[in-house]
Amino acid sequence: MTMSLSAELWPDVQPETARRLMLAGVESFARRGYHATTTRDIASAAGMSPAALYVHFPSKAALLFAISKYGHEQTLSLVESVVARENDPVERIRLLVEDFVAWHARRHTVARVVQYELHALPDEEFEVVAKLRRRIERVVREVITEGTDAGVFTVGDPHTAARAVLSLGVDVARWYTERARQTPKQLGQEYSELVLRMLGTKLS
């Protein structure tokens, strides 16, 4: 990961030193885990003194919260964008899964921290992120419900189905590396076919 990537991941974060610290936090949390990472580790990875971190983030938990919140906001924007540009529920799920899986593969290091260090957040910050997660799940559930009502999906419980769909995509961040056989785009396409079959869609 490079510093230019930090601007791509967090374009609204200013100043650049704050983005550098977020990137360093991602790298450190991914390598050591949240609890084993010290503020000194993060500052060192960013090429700064330990005191510099506190200028932008009051604590290690605040840094994790910023990373988690931005990651979930980007994911919510992704799924809402698909729903806004497609009307057919089958195509909505196809594109939603393609984009969701590809994002978790392409940004696997960030996604792994965002998804798997979530419970290290303090209660108040956790609830902010949990609300974003519920909004993401609601978007997917509504598309599945729409498809079930239209007869193109065969699903007993859209709530369970939505969680299963999202869990498949989230898990990609756990195992994906640049050495994987598929590119993020290819993986997204393969997963979208699997999900459509899981939802009972008859594919030609």
Side-chain angles (χ1 to χ4, degrees):
M1 297 173 71
T2 64
M3 289 302 159
S4 62
L5 179 58
S6 69
E8 182 181 343
L9 285 170
W10 305 295
D12 299 328
V13 175
Q14 294 293 338
E16 171 62 24
T17 50
R19 289 203 301 260
R20 287 172 58 193
L21 285 164
M22 289 175 69
L23 184 60
V26 164
E27 293 173 336
S28 299
F29 296 151
R31 186 181 310 116
R32 300 180 178 88
Y34 173 80
H35 292 293
T37 297
T38 66
T39 54
R40 185 176 294 276
D41 293 329
I42 297 166
S44 177
M48 302 179 191
S49 68
L53 185 145
Y54 297 107
V55 173
H56 304 287
F57 301 98
S59 65
K60 183 176 71 167
L63 177 60
L64 176 63
F65 175 57
I67 294 166
S68 298
K69 182 172 177 285
Y70 271 96
H72 282 87
E73 286 173 342
Q74 288 175 355
T75 305
L76 176 61
S77 177
L78 181 152
V79 298
E80 287 181 335
S81 174
V82 170
V83 171
R85 71 177 188 264
E86 283 292 336
N87 294 318
D88 177 62
V90 172
E91 283 306 302
R92 275 180 168 176
I93 284 293
R94 185 192 302 276
L95 293 175
L96 189 153
V97 172
E98 283 185 11
D99 290 355
F100 189 78
V101 169
W103 189 89
H104 280 78
R106 188 170 56 251
R107 303 285 185 247
H108 57 89
T109 304
V110 174
R112 191 159 61 249
V113 171
V114 165
Q115 298 290 356
Y116 291 102
E117 298 291 349
L118 180 65
H119 291 282
L121 289 172
D123 290 345
E124 186 174 341
E125 287 80 1
F126 176 86
E127 183 54 31
V128 171
V129 177
K131 286 180 180 178
L132 290 169
R133 292 171 73 88
R134 289 193 291 270
R135 288 175 63 187
I136 293 166
E137 184 178 316
R138 183 169 65 247
V139 171
V140 178
R141 184 173 67 249
E142 288 173 352
V143 175
I144 293 174
T145 299
E146 179 186 357
T148 302
D149 291 344
V152 293
F153 298 150
T154 306
V155 173
D157 180 8
H159 186 277
T160 300
R163 286 192 170 182
V165 169
L166 291 170
S167 294
L168 285 171
V170 166
D171 190 60
V172 167
R174 180 184 57 81
W175 61 265
Y176 190 87
T177 72
E178 283 72 17
R179 296 183 179 183
R181 176 176 57 85
Q182 308 100 320
T183 66
K185 181 177 178 61
Q186 290 169 337
L187 190 65
Q189 291 171 340
E190 289 185 22
Y191 268 54
S192 70
E193 295 295 311
L194 289 171
V195 165
L196 287 173
R197 293 182 189 279
M198 182 180 78
L199 296 178
T201 303
K202 295 180 179 179
L203 302 176
S204 55

